[in-house]
Short mmCIF file of all heavy atoms in Angstrom, two decimals:
data_model
loop_
_atom_site.label_atom_id
_atom_site.label_comp_id
_atom_site.label_asym_id
_atom_site.label_seq_id
_atom_site.Cartn_x
_atom_site.Cartn_y
_atom_site.Cartn_z
N THR A 1 7.07 6.53 3.40
CA THR A 1 6.78 5.24 2.82
C THR A 1 5.71 5.41 1.75
O THR A 1 4.81 6.25 1.89
CB THR A 1 6.29 4.22 3.86
OG1 THR A 1 5.79 3.05 3.19
CG2 THR A 1 5.20 4.79 4.75
N ILE A 2 5.81 4.62 0.72
CA ILE A 2 4.81 4.62 -0.34
C ILE A 2 3.46 4.14 0.18
O ILE A 2 2.41 4.33 -0.45
CB ILE A 2 5.31 3.74 -1.52
CG1 ILE A 2 4.57 4.07 -2.80
CG2 ILE A 2 5.21 2.26 -1.18
CD1 ILE A 2 5.18 3.39 -4.02
N ALA A 3 3.47 3.53 1.37
CA ALA A 3 2.26 2.95 1.95
C ALA A 3 1.60 3.84 3.00
O ALA A 3 0.69 3.38 3.70
CB ALA A 3 2.59 1.60 2.58
N TRP A 4 2.02 5.10 3.12
CA TRP A 4 1.45 5.93 4.18
C TRP A 4 -0.06 6.14 4.00
O TRP A 4 -0.80 6.25 4.98
CB TRP A 4 2.15 7.28 4.27
CG TRP A 4 1.64 8.04 5.46
CD1 TRP A 4 0.83 9.14 5.47
CD2 TRP A 4 1.87 7.71 6.84
NE1 TRP A 4 0.54 9.52 6.75
CE2 TRP A 4 1.16 8.65 7.62
CE3 TRP A 4 2.60 6.71 7.48
CZ2 TRP A 4 1.16 8.62 9.01
CZ3 TRP A 4 2.61 6.68 8.87
CH2 TRP A 4 1.89 7.62 9.62
N GLU A 5 -0.53 6.17 2.77
CA GLU A 5 -1.97 6.31 2.53
C GLU A 5 -2.74 5.19 3.22
O GLU A 5 -3.84 5.41 3.77
CB GLU A 5 -2.24 6.29 1.03
CG GLU A 5 -3.72 6.38 0.66
CD GLU A 5 -3.97 6.24 -0.83
OE1 GLU A 5 -3.01 6.30 -1.61
OE2 GLU A 5 -5.14 6.08 -1.20
N LEU A 6 -2.18 3.98 3.21
CA LEU A 6 -2.81 2.85 3.89
C LEU A 6 -2.71 3.02 5.41
O LEU A 6 -3.71 2.89 6.13
CB LEU A 6 -2.15 1.54 3.46
CG LEU A 6 -2.52 0.30 4.28
CD1 LEU A 6 -3.99 -0.04 4.11
CD2 LEU A 6 -1.63 -0.88 3.91
N ILE A 7 -1.52 3.29 5.90
CA ILE A 7 -1.29 3.37 7.34
C ILE A 7 -2.15 4.46 7.97
O ILE A 7 -2.70 4.29 9.07
CB ILE A 7 0.20 3.61 7.63
CG1 ILE A 7 1.02 2.40 7.15
CG2 ILE A 7 0.46 3.88 9.10
CD1 ILE A 7 2.51 2.63 7.13
N ALA A 8 -2.30 5.58 7.27
CA ALA A 8 -3.04 6.72 7.81
C ALA A 8 -4.54 6.43 7.98
O ALA A 8 -5.23 7.16 8.71
CB ALA A 8 -2.85 7.93 6.90
N GLN A 9 -5.03 5.37 7.36
CA GLN A 9 -6.44 5.02 7.50
C GLN A 9 -6.76 4.39 8.85
O GLN A 9 -7.94 4.31 9.23
CB GLN A 9 -6.85 4.04 6.39
CG GLN A 9 -6.79 4.60 4.99
CD GLN A 9 -7.15 3.55 3.96
OE1 GLN A 9 -8.07 2.76 4.15
NE2 GLN A 9 -6.43 3.55 2.85
N TYR A 10 -5.73 3.96 9.57
CA TYR A 10 -5.95 3.20 10.80
C TYR A 10 -5.23 3.86 11.97
O TYR A 10 -4.16 4.45 11.82
CB TYR A 10 -5.45 1.76 10.62
CG TYR A 10 -6.17 1.05 9.50
CD1 TYR A 10 -5.62 1.02 8.22
CD2 TYR A 10 -7.41 0.47 9.70
CE1 TYR A 10 -6.29 0.41 7.18
CE2 TYR A 10 -8.09 -0.14 8.66
CZ TYR A 10 -7.53 -0.18 7.40
OH TYR A 10 -8.20 -0.78 6.37
N GLU A 11 -5.82 3.71 13.15
CA GLU A 11 -5.23 4.34 14.34
C GLU A 11 -4.03 3.55 14.85
O GLU A 11 -3.04 4.12 15.29
CB GLU A 11 -6.28 4.46 15.44
CG GLU A 11 -5.79 5.24 16.65
CD GLU A 11 -6.89 5.52 17.65
OE1 GLU A 11 -8.00 4.95 17.51
OE2 GLU A 11 -6.65 6.30 18.59
N TYR A 12 -4.12 2.21 14.76
CA TYR A 12 -3.08 1.36 15.34
C TYR A 12 -2.41 0.50 14.27
O TYR A 12 -3.06 0.08 13.31
CB TYR A 12 -3.68 0.46 16.42
CG TYR A 12 -4.24 1.24 17.59
CD1 TYR A 12 -5.62 1.43 17.73
CD2 TYR A 12 -3.40 1.82 18.53
CE1 TYR A 12 -6.14 2.16 18.79
CE2 TYR A 12 -3.91 2.55 19.60
CZ TYR A 12 -5.28 2.71 19.72
OH TYR A 12 -5.78 3.45 20.76
N PRO A 13 -1.12 0.21 14.43
CA PRO A 13 -0.40 -0.52 13.38
C PRO A 13 -0.90 -1.93 13.14
O PRO A 13 -0.87 -2.41 12.00
CB PRO A 13 1.05 -0.51 13.89
CG PRO A 13 0.97 -0.21 15.34
CD PRO A 13 -0.23 0.65 15.52
N TYR A 14 -1.38 -2.60 14.19
CA TYR A 14 -1.84 -3.97 13.99
C TYR A 14 -3.09 -4.04 13.11
O TYR A 14 -3.37 -5.08 12.50
CB TYR A 14 -2.06 -4.69 15.32
CG TYR A 14 -2.81 -3.89 16.36
CD1 TYR A 14 -4.20 -3.82 16.36
CD2 TYR A 14 -2.12 -3.22 17.37
CE1 TYR A 14 -4.89 -3.09 17.32
CE2 TYR A 14 -2.80 -2.50 18.35
CZ TYR A 14 -4.18 -2.43 18.32
OH TYR A 14 -4.85 -1.71 19.28
N ASP A 15 -3.83 -2.94 13.03
CA ASP A 15 -5.00 -2.92 12.15
C ASP A 15 -4.63 -2.77 10.67
O ASP A 15 -5.47 -3.02 9.79
CB ASP A 15 -5.95 -1.79 12.55
CG ASP A 15 -6.62 -2.04 13.89
OD1 ASP A 15 -6.87 -3.21 14.21
OD2 ASP A 15 -6.87 -1.07 14.63
N VAL A 16 -3.39 -2.38 10.41
CA VAL A 16 -2.92 -2.24 9.03
C VAL A 16 -2.61 -3.60 8.41
O VAL A 16 -2.80 -3.81 7.21
CB VAL A 16 -1.66 -1.34 8.99
CG1 VAL A 16 -1.09 -1.26 7.58
CG2 VAL A 16 -1.96 0.05 9.53
N LEU A 17 -2.14 -4.53 9.23
CA LEU A 17 -1.57 -5.78 8.73
C LEU A 17 -2.49 -6.58 7.80
O LEU A 17 -2.01 -7.11 6.79
CB LEU A 17 -1.12 -6.65 9.91
CG LEU A 17 -0.01 -6.06 10.78
CD1 LEU A 17 0.24 -6.95 12.00
CD2 LEU A 17 1.28 -5.90 9.97
N PRO A 18 -3.79 -6.69 8.06
CA PRO A 18 -4.62 -7.52 7.17
C PRO A 18 -4.83 -6.93 5.77
O PRO A 18 -5.35 -7.62 4.89
CB PRO A 18 -5.97 -7.60 7.92
CG PRO A 18 -5.71 -7.13 9.30
CD PRO A 18 -4.57 -6.18 9.20
N HIS A 19 -4.44 -5.68 5.57
CA HIS A 19 -4.78 -4.98 4.33
C HIS A 19 -3.59 -4.72 3.41
O HIS A 19 -3.74 -4.08 2.38
CB HIS A 19 -5.45 -3.65 4.69
CG HIS A 19 -6.61 -3.79 5.62
ND1 HIS A 19 -7.82 -4.35 5.24
CD2 HIS A 19 -6.73 -3.50 6.95
CE1 HIS A 19 -8.65 -4.37 6.28
NE2 HIS A 19 -8.01 -3.85 7.32
N ILE A 20 -2.42 -5.21 3.79
CA ILE A 20 -1.22 -4.90 3.01
C ILE A 20 -1.32 -5.47 1.59
O ILE A 20 -1.01 -4.78 0.61
CB ILE A 20 0.04 -5.42 3.72
CG1 ILE A 20 0.24 -4.65 5.05
CG2 ILE A 20 1.27 -5.27 2.83
CD1 ILE A 20 1.39 -5.18 5.89
N GLY A 21 -1.72 -6.70 1.48
CA GLY A 21 -1.77 -7.35 0.17
C GLY A 21 -2.70 -6.64 -0.81
O GLY A 21 -2.32 -6.34 -1.95
N GLU A 22 -3.92 -6.37 -0.39
CA GLU A 22 -4.87 -5.71 -1.28
C GLU A 22 -4.42 -4.30 -1.63
O GLU A 22 -4.64 -3.82 -2.76
CB GLU A 22 -6.26 -5.70 -0.66
CG GLU A 22 -6.36 -4.97 0.66
CD GLU A 22 -7.73 -5.08 1.29
OE1 GLU A 22 -8.74 -5.04 0.55
OE2 GLU A 22 -7.82 -5.19 2.53
N PHE A 23 -3.77 -3.62 -0.69
CA PHE A 23 -3.26 -2.28 -0.97
C PHE A 23 -2.17 -2.34 -2.04
O PHE A 23 -2.13 -1.48 -2.94
CB PHE A 23 -2.70 -1.66 0.31
CG PHE A 23 -2.04 -0.32 0.08
CD1 PHE A 23 -2.81 0.82 -0.07
CD2 PHE A 23 -0.66 -0.21 0.01
CE1 PHE A 23 -2.21 2.06 -0.29
CE2 PHE A 23 -0.05 1.02 -0.20
CZ PHE A 23 -0.82 2.15 -0.36
N ILE A 24 -1.29 -3.32 -1.96
CA ILE A 24 -0.23 -3.45 -2.95
C ILE A 24 -0.81 -3.62 -4.36
O ILE A 24 -0.35 -2.98 -5.31
CB ILE A 24 0.69 -4.64 -2.61
CG1 ILE A 24 1.51 -4.33 -1.35
CG2 ILE A 24 1.63 -4.97 -3.77
CD1 ILE A 24 2.30 -5.51 -0.83
N VAL A 25 -1.78 -4.48 -4.49
CA VAL A 25 -2.38 -4.73 -5.81
C VAL A 25 -3.01 -3.45 -6.37
O VAL A 25 -2.82 -3.10 -7.54
CB VAL A 25 -3.42 -5.85 -5.73
CG1 VAL A 25 -4.15 -6.01 -7.06
CG2 VAL A 25 -2.74 -7.17 -5.33
N LYS A 26 -3.73 -2.74 -5.52
CA LYS A 26 -4.36 -1.50 -5.96
C LYS A 26 -3.33 -0.45 -6.34
O LYS A 26 -3.43 0.20 -7.40
CB LYS A 26 -5.28 -0.97 -4.86
CG LYS A 26 -6.00 0.32 -5.22
CD LYS A 26 -6.89 0.79 -4.07
CE LYS A 26 -7.58 2.10 -4.41
NZ LYS A 26 -8.43 2.59 -3.29
N LEU A 27 -2.32 -0.26 -5.48
CA LEU A 27 -1.30 0.75 -5.75
C LEU A 27 -0.44 0.36 -6.95
O LEU A 27 -0.09 1.21 -7.79
CB LEU A 27 -0.42 0.94 -4.52
CG LEU A 27 0.74 1.92 -4.66
CD1 LEU A 27 0.23 3.33 -4.95
CD2 LEU A 27 1.60 1.92 -3.39
N GLY A 28 -0.11 -0.90 -7.04
CA GLY A 28 0.77 -1.36 -8.12
C GLY A 28 0.26 -1.03 -9.49
O GLY A 28 1.01 -0.64 -10.39
N GLU A 29 -1.05 -1.17 -9.67
CA GLU A 29 -1.64 -0.90 -10.98
C GLU A 29 -1.53 0.56 -11.37
O GLU A 29 -1.64 0.91 -12.55
CB GLU A 29 -3.11 -1.34 -10.98
CG GLU A 29 -3.33 -2.83 -10.77
CD GLU A 29 -2.82 -3.69 -11.93
OE1 GLU A 29 -2.44 -3.12 -12.98
OE2 GLU A 29 -2.82 -4.93 -11.78
N SER A 30 -1.30 1.44 -10.40
CA SER A 30 -1.23 2.87 -10.69
C SER A 30 0.21 3.40 -10.76
O SER A 30 0.41 4.58 -11.04
CB SER A 30 -1.99 3.65 -9.61
OG SER A 30 -1.32 3.58 -8.36
N LEU A 31 1.19 2.54 -10.51
CA LEU A 31 2.58 3.00 -10.53
C LEU A 31 3.00 3.35 -11.96
O LEU A 31 2.65 2.64 -12.91
CB LEU A 31 3.49 1.93 -9.95
CG LEU A 31 3.32 1.65 -8.45
CD1 LEU A 31 4.17 0.44 -8.03
CD2 LEU A 31 3.69 2.87 -7.62
N PRO A 32 3.78 4.42 -12.13
CA PRO A 32 4.15 4.87 -13.48
C PRO A 32 5.05 3.86 -14.20
O PRO A 32 6.05 3.39 -13.64
CB PRO A 32 4.89 6.19 -13.23
CG PRO A 32 5.33 6.12 -11.80
CD PRO A 32 4.31 5.32 -11.08
N ALA A 33 4.70 3.54 -15.43
CA ALA A 33 5.43 2.54 -16.20
C ALA A 33 6.84 2.97 -16.56
O ALA A 33 7.69 2.12 -16.85
CB ALA A 33 4.65 2.20 -17.47
N ASP A 34 7.11 4.27 -16.53
CA ASP A 34 8.46 4.72 -16.85
C ASP A 34 9.42 4.55 -15.67
O ASP A 34 10.63 4.64 -15.83
CB ASP A 34 8.45 6.18 -17.29
CG ASP A 34 7.93 7.13 -16.22
OD1 ASP A 34 7.09 6.68 -15.40
OD2 ASP A 34 8.36 8.30 -16.19
N ARG A 35 8.88 4.23 -14.49
CA ARG A 35 9.73 4.07 -13.30
C ARG A 35 9.62 2.68 -12.67
O ARG A 35 10.50 2.28 -11.90
CB ARG A 35 9.38 5.12 -12.25
CG ARG A 35 9.79 6.53 -12.67
CD ARG A 35 9.05 7.60 -11.88
NE ARG A 35 9.03 7.34 -10.45
CZ ARG A 35 8.12 7.85 -9.61
NH1 ARG A 35 7.17 8.63 -10.09
NH2 ARG A 35 8.18 7.59 -8.33
N PHE A 36 8.55 1.95 -12.99
CA PHE A 36 8.33 0.62 -12.43
C PHE A 36 8.00 -0.36 -13.55
O PHE A 36 7.38 0.00 -14.54
CB PHE A 36 7.18 0.63 -11.42
CG PHE A 36 7.49 1.32 -10.13
CD1 PHE A 36 7.39 2.70 -10.02
CD2 PHE A 36 7.88 0.59 -9.01
CE1 PHE A 36 7.66 3.35 -8.83
CE2 PHE A 36 8.16 1.23 -7.81
CZ PHE A 36 8.05 2.61 -7.72
N GLU A 37 8.42 -1.60 -13.35
CA GLU A 37 7.99 -2.65 -14.26
C GLU A 37 7.33 -3.77 -13.47
O GLU A 37 7.70 -4.05 -12.32
CB GLU A 37 9.17 -3.20 -15.06
CG GLU A 37 10.28 -3.84 -14.24
CD GLU A 37 11.35 -4.43 -15.15
OE1 GLU A 37 10.99 -5.11 -16.12
OE2 GLU A 37 12.54 -4.21 -14.87
N LYS A 38 6.34 -4.39 -14.10
CA LYS A 38 5.63 -5.48 -13.45
C LYS A 38 6.26 -6.80 -13.87
O LYS A 38 6.49 -7.06 -15.05
CB LYS A 38 4.15 -5.46 -13.84
CG LYS A 38 3.31 -6.48 -13.07
CD LYS A 38 1.84 -6.36 -13.42
CE LYS A 38 1.02 -7.36 -12.61
NZ LYS A 38 -0.42 -7.29 -12.96
N ARG A 39 6.57 -7.61 -12.87
CA ARG A 39 7.16 -8.92 -13.13
C ARG A 39 6.28 -9.99 -12.48
O ARG A 39 6.05 -9.97 -11.28
CB ARG A 39 8.57 -9.02 -12.56
CG ARG A 39 9.56 -8.01 -13.12
CD ARG A 39 10.94 -8.26 -12.54
NE ARG A 39 11.87 -7.18 -12.87
CZ ARG A 39 13.12 -7.12 -12.43
NH1 ARG A 39 13.60 -8.09 -11.64
NH2 ARG A 39 13.91 -6.11 -12.76
N GLY A 40 5.84 -10.94 -13.26
CA GLY A 40 5.02 -12.00 -12.70
C GLY A 40 3.69 -11.49 -12.19
O GLY A 40 3.19 -10.44 -12.63
#
């Protein structure tokens, strides 16, 4: 998963849930423009 960096920070899966949104924003800004496009 593209999100393993986030999941690996926590021991249990329920501790990951509050951080999904902020992780997406941070990761999204670093995604390569030749493979991803930002919409909205």
Side-chain angles (χ1 to χ4, degrees):
T1 170
I2 199 171
W4 186 252
E5 178 185 348
L6 169 66
I7 296 169
Q9 295 178 41
Y10 301 95
E11 186 172 10
Y12 297 103
Y14 46 82
D15 291 328
V16 176
L17 297 174
H19 307 288
I20 295 175
E22 60 185 322
F23 175 78
I24 290 172
V25 174
K26 181 180 178 181
L27 177 62
E29 297 293 351
S30 68
L31 293 173
D34 61 331
R35 290 161 47 202
F36 288 82
E37 61 176 314
K38 187 176 181 181
R39 299 184 190 177

